[in-house]
Amino acid sequence: MSESTQIEVMKQHLIDPEICIRCNSCEEACPIDAITHDANNYVVKPDVCMACQACLPVCPTGAIDNWIRVLAQEPYPIDEQFEWMSLPVEKTLPENAVEIPTGGRREGEQEALAAASTPDGGVVGELKPGDELIEGQPATTAGSSVPPWSAAHPYVNLYTHKNVAEATVAGNYRISADNAESDIHHIVLDFESLPFPVLEGQSIAVFPPGLDARGRPYYARQYSIASPRDGERPGYNNLSLTVKRVTSDYDGNPVAGVCSSYLCDLRRGDKVRVIGPLGATFLMPNLDRANLLMICTGTGAAPMRAMTERCRRLTKRSEFQGRLMLFFGARTQHELPYFGPLMGLPKGFIDINLALSREPDHPKRHVQDLIVERASDVLTLLQDPNTHIYVCGLKGMEHGTLAAMKNIVEASGQSWQELSAGLREQGRMHFETY
Amino acid sequence: MTGIDYSQKIPNNVNLSEDRALQRALEHWQPNYLNWWQSMGPDGSHGFDVYLRTATSVNPDGWAHFDHVKMPDYRWGIFLTPQDGQRKMHFGENKGKDVWQDAPGEYRANLRRIIVTQGDTEPASVEQQRHLGLTAPSLYDLRNLFQVNVEEGRHLWAMAYLLHRYFGRDGREEADALLQRNSGSEDSPRILGAFNEKTPDWLAFYMFTYFTDRDGKFQLSALTESCFDPLARTTRFMLTEEAHHMFVGESGVSRVVQRTAEMMNELKTDDPAVLRKAGVIDLPTIQRYLNFHFSVTIDLFGADESSNAATYYSAGLKGRYEESKRTDDHQLKNDTYRVLKVIDGQLREVEVPMLNALNEVLRDDFIKDSVGGVSRWNRVLEKHGIDFRLITPHKAFNRKIGSLSEIRVSPDGHLLTEEQWRVHQDEWLPTAEDRAFVASLMGRVAEPGKFANWIAPPVIGINRQPVDFEYVRFN
Ligand SMILES: Cc1cc2nc3c(=O)[nH]c(=O)nc-3n(C[C@H](O)[C@H](O)[C@H](O)COP(=O)(O)OP(=O)(O)OC[C@H]3O[C@@H](n4cnc5c(N)ncnc54)[C@H](O)[C@@H]3O)c2cc1C
Ligand code: SF4
Ligand code: SF4
């Protein structure tokens, strides 16, 4: 590999000492203590900062929004920054240098942590539109940055990389059919007496054991929680995940996904290191008359399962009377996680629409096609102020679903711009794609 | 149901729409608040569209929402940093137990008093600044003034919320009283002295936001440590806003100093008379303002020795600045602290029990922090090749509270007789003439990108807008 011969540059995060008023807001806001100070200056530790940008909005002066390109091997150390009276000018860098993400020397841990919480419990991943510096965060910007008003209050980040939680595997089952291409597992983690309160729509991050090619521990990967708040088994302190073994990368080249393989191969009784809970906005309304419009592909089914199961348990106690509509995409029926149990749900409880793209005797359809086919029902739901929309799955689906909803609304002569702005502001439209 | 959408009217993360009791309490208080804002808030500003930062939620992108807003339409809101669910009391006698989610009976009165005192300062500074809008040196500054005003208003909301939500009827009465006292009023003045002083001109405003709002930072920081969790969470969110106020002060004074320095170089003089004629504020005058605001502000921390402070700390009501970062036992029963006293006609440091000296500890933390900013003003002078240096006066200078209030001390810390004080007083504190001169420079500049002659433009605009952005639109 050419890795070692490449010259890498990165954007180093620096604070302008001439503008900074040393108010400490940034240090307070940084979720991973990347900011520190002495009597003279506030500075950012180059080996810790993951460019999550949680510190930007709290800075009253703009002093913190400085990103200077440096050789990745030679960032300005903090001792030097402490001495500064003004920012240095950017040095000339080799032309053939490759840009790596900020904090790239620990790029691993960044991702999970970037999606971890901000000081005020928000999800950093939702802070700014997909910044080039950050990778691996859920793309949630198309949706709301606030939860539904009635959502139960989530706990976020009870466990962090400094304070990792340990869970025990209580079960691990393959849920895609034996003859299916994809290997999807339903994994139950038990926290026993460790407090780990979660809500439907939240996720956790898992640390795979071992070291990466550069000899550093692997970073944590995120997985949506597939069980409702009162446990995979009601009344137990456990939760489930839906994990698909990654066997090819986004471009289709074969790879063995580090964390997904680790998880799919776990056995009952194994210990797993996790952090979280993560996510403070992709949450369901806590209201008996709410409707859920759920759109997902593949393992994006996980949070939908959690929400559906929550509603099912409530319905049994006559505590829920809203409507559920699900659009679910997969290549074939065999690859739909939870296909069996899903099909067992009463029609009156949930309106299920499967979009199968490679089912032999079926026309090839994607979720967006199905949404358009069901235009009038979707429109009725979209116009109901009690409806909340959830989209989860592969990155690519975001655009298509938005376009489909826009079509439907505009075909009815209404303004999508207005409607969708309302949905976003009211915390009623949420995206989580990866 | 009343049919009012509270989350629209009063953005909040305290589940206001479901809390009927709180709704009822606020229904009564909110109109009174609006009346207070109309009559005591910024003078003649009601029709303007101001480029304000509004908090709409506590998410990172929710609390810094920028837009042109008419000030009466500003949505003050009630925001608390989310509960983290695992906070424990980390100082005082109950160290190690779960923090309180409700006000414990035995500490109710003290907690209420702490909240009322903090709450009283918020509307006070709005009242003190109410006429400044008429003489703003630029649209940029006018906008900053208004931003400070609305946030002080919101901080009042934050404290009124705590009173309403956790202190029953007494709390409601105290919340009403917050709107009835007025800064400088003969009959019902604000609780703390500094908040009854006038803020007549923009130099005073910058000094106020630099020093007095920094007092706010330290008081709020001590309250964010409180074991009464709702208070801790409320003040933590307030702190992020307080930072902006200090920014206005620090950069404001810095720009005044810069402009003066430029003029000194241009005219090659340090003669105050010549500089005044050229329309800038001479450095000795700036130093006198600094002396005044510094000394008035450090009085806000209270008496050097205070048994109340000890009680608050031991009970877990109010911690120290950065309590969680300190490494002692967080009970302080056996510790001592050095406090300045007059003994045999000399200023001396004496050891007193730490718990009784906590006001002094906070004051010293504040002083250290303020000195840092003053040195940054000096850097501006350094850069312009000017020898003059601004300095913070001695801790005992011009004190009105505590044991030091009984003596006269020069800015450099020498004990003086009353006679010596009288002779020099005018060199150290702003005179009527100084104030009249500064007042004579004040005149409104309302064209985007233009600045009054006595102040330099800022280095960068607000929210990355250009400096000549239309920060305020007059309609
Ligand atoms: C908020 C959030 C929720 C998530 N929820 C789930 C979930 O419920 N179930 C689940 O299985 N996964 C979920 N993921 C994805 C998961 O975090 C990992 O990205 C995934 O398991 C791959 O990790 P890995 O260590 O196995 O692969 P890696 O070793 O990290 O990557 C191997 C290669 O595969 C590529 N790759 C990574 N992820 C994918 C993917 N999903 N599809 C195709 N190529 C990929 C990488 O670019 C790399 O080239 C979620 C991600 C986010 C951000
Ligand atoms: S960008 Fe994120 S990690 Fe870096 S200093 Fe800011 S808050 Fe900390
Ligand atoms: S928030 Fe901004 S002004 Fe405050 S200390 Fe950090 S960089 Fe400086």
Side-chain angles (χ1 to χ4, degrees), chain A residues 84-379:
Chain A
W84 284 349
M85 305 288 238
S86 57
L87 273 187
V89 279
E90 192 169 289
K91 295 179 188 149
T92 0
L93 296 162
E95 269 175 27
N96 57 349
V98 195
E99 189 161 314
I100 62 163
T102 297
R105 289 159 319 125
R106 294 206 333 179
E107 110 203 55
E109 222 173 323
Q110 295 165 32
E111 295 181 16
L113 289 168
S117 87
T118 67
D120 21 40
V123 174
V124 179
E126 295 172 3
L127 183 61
K128 275 211 159 182
D131 193 283
E132 34 158 346
L133 299 169
I134 319 165
E135 286 179 342
Q137 291 186 44
T140 48
T141 46
S144 305
S145 55
V146 292
W149 67 264
S150 64
H153 185 77
Y155 285 88
V156 282
N157 227 23
L158 283 184
Y159 302 90
T160 63
H161 69 306
K162 286 185 200 153
N163 166 28
V164 177
E166 199 180 68
T168 309
V169 178
N172 182 354
Y173 321 91
R174 177 171 162 127
I175 49 171
S176 44
D178 291 345
N179 56 352
E181 240 179 85
S182 47
D183 183 18
I184 304 177
H185 284 243
H186 178 70
I187 299 167
V188 182
L189 298 178
D190 194 336
F191 289 92
E192 287 153 14
S193 58
L194 191 69
F196 207 92
V198 300
L199 292 175
E200 304 78 15
Q202 286 193 290
S203 48
I204 62 169
V206 174
F207 281 108
L211 301 175
D212 67 12
R214 298 185 192 184
R216 283 173 302 260
Y218 287 117
Y219 60 94
R221 271 73 160 172
Q222 284 194 69
Y223 296 90
S224 307
I225 295 164
S227 48
R229 63 188 76 181
D230 52 342
E232 170 68 11
R233 183 168 168 200
Y236 281 72
N237 190 17
N238 59 10
L239 57 79
S240 61
L241 305 178
T242 314
V243 181
K244 177 177 167 204
R245 188 190 297 270
V246 169
T247 52
S248 60
D249 66 14
Y250 292 111
D251 303 325
N253 306 314
V255 287
V258 172
C259 193
S260 55
S261 310
Y262 160 68
L263 284 169
C264 290
D265 294 339
L266 281 172
R267 299 205 187 169
R268 218 189 136 120
D270 285 349
K271 303 283 182 202
V272 181
R273 287 160 32 90
V274 310
I275 59 180
L278 306 173
T281 58
F282 195 100
L283 299 175
M284 64 187 291
N286 205 8
L287 206 61
D288 60 357
R289 55 182 187 281
N291 309 315
L292 309 187
L293 175 56
M294 300 175 279
I295 304 166
C296 63
T297 56
T299 51
M304 311 310 179
R305 177 182 186 266
M307 293 186 191
T308 307
E309 182 59 15
R310 166 77 180 160
C311 295
R312 196 185 67 84
R313 289 182 193 177
L314 289 174
T315 305
K316 279 215 294 208
R317 292 185 255 140
S318 311
E319 286 170 15
F320 180 75
Q321 57 246 353
R323 291 208 282 144
L324 306 186
M325 187 172 196
L326 172 70
F327 290 91
F328 194 166
R331 283 188 295 201
T332 69
Q333 187 171 307
H334 303 298
E335 296 188 0
L336 277 172
Y338 309 114
F339 179 70
L342 192 60
M343 289 305 150
L345 294 172
K347 290 271 170 308
F349 169 66
I350 181 168
D351 178 352
I352 301 175
N353 301 271
L354 300 180
L356 304 174
S357 59
R358 290 200 205 153
E359 189 69 36
D361 301 324
H362 273 70
K364 177 172 171 164
R365 285 192 299 187
H366 294 286
V367 275
Q368 58 268 38
D369 308 326
L370 263 193
I371 295 173
V372 174
E373 274 176 41
R374 295 290 312 272
S376 73
D377 295 305
V378 172
L379 188 64

Side-chain angles (χ1 to χ4, degrees), chain A residues 15 20-26 42 59-61 64:
Chain A
I15 294 175
C20 169
I21 60 160
R22 285 78 175 165
C23 69
N24 202 55
S25 302
C26 53
Y42 272 74
C59 175
T61 63
I64 198 150

Side-chain angles (χ1 to χ4, degrees), chain B residues 256-295:
Chain B
V256 176
V257 170
Q258 182 187 332
R259 185 66 193 119
T260 303
E262 285 165 5
M263 194 57 90
M264 287 170 78
N265 282 339
E266 204 179 305
L267 303 178
K268 303 200 169 37
T269 181
D270 55 8
D271 181 349
V274 179
L275 290 164
R276 284 185 173 199
K277 210 170 270 158
V280 297
I281 308 173
D282 53 291
L283 297 174
T285 300
I286 297 176
Q287 178 67 58
R288 286 192 286 274
Y289 267 68
L290 189 164
N291 289 349
F292 173 76
H293 284 273
F294 178 84
S295 55

Side-chain angles (χ1 to χ4, degrees), chain B residues 9 79 100 107 137 142 245 279 325 335 347 357 368 407 425:
Chain B
K9 197 164 164 194
F79 293 109
W100 308 302
Y107 305 132
L142 183 59
H245 308 182
K325 292 190 186 159
D335 299 335
L347 266 178
K368 220 187 298 155
I407 49 170
Q425 188 179 359

Side-chain angles (χ1 to χ4, degrees), chain A residues 18 21-23 25 27-28 40 57-58 60-61 65 85 118 120 122 126-128 145 149 153 155 158, chain B residues 18 57-61 63 82 84-86 217 236 240 243-244 246-247 250 325 376 379 383 460 464:
Chain A
E18 284 187 291
I21 60 160
R22 285 78 175 165
C23 69
S25 302
E27 190 171 319
E28 192 69 50
N40 191 35
V58 302
T61 63
D65 198 6
M85 305 288 238
T118 67
D120 21 40
E126 295 172 3
L127 183 61
K128 275 211 159 182
S145 55
W149 67 264
H153 185 77
Y155 285 88
L158 283 184
Chain B
E18 310 248 294
S57 79
V58 295
N59 285 342
D61 57 349
W63 89 270
D84 80 352
Q86 52 181 355
K217 162 183 163 179
R236 185 160 296 279
T240 22
H244 173 261
M246 295 188 304
F247 157 67
E250 175 158 343
K325 292 190 186 159
R376 290 191 290 279
R379 249 181 245 165
K383 240 182 165 172
I460 45 174
R464 298 207 239 174

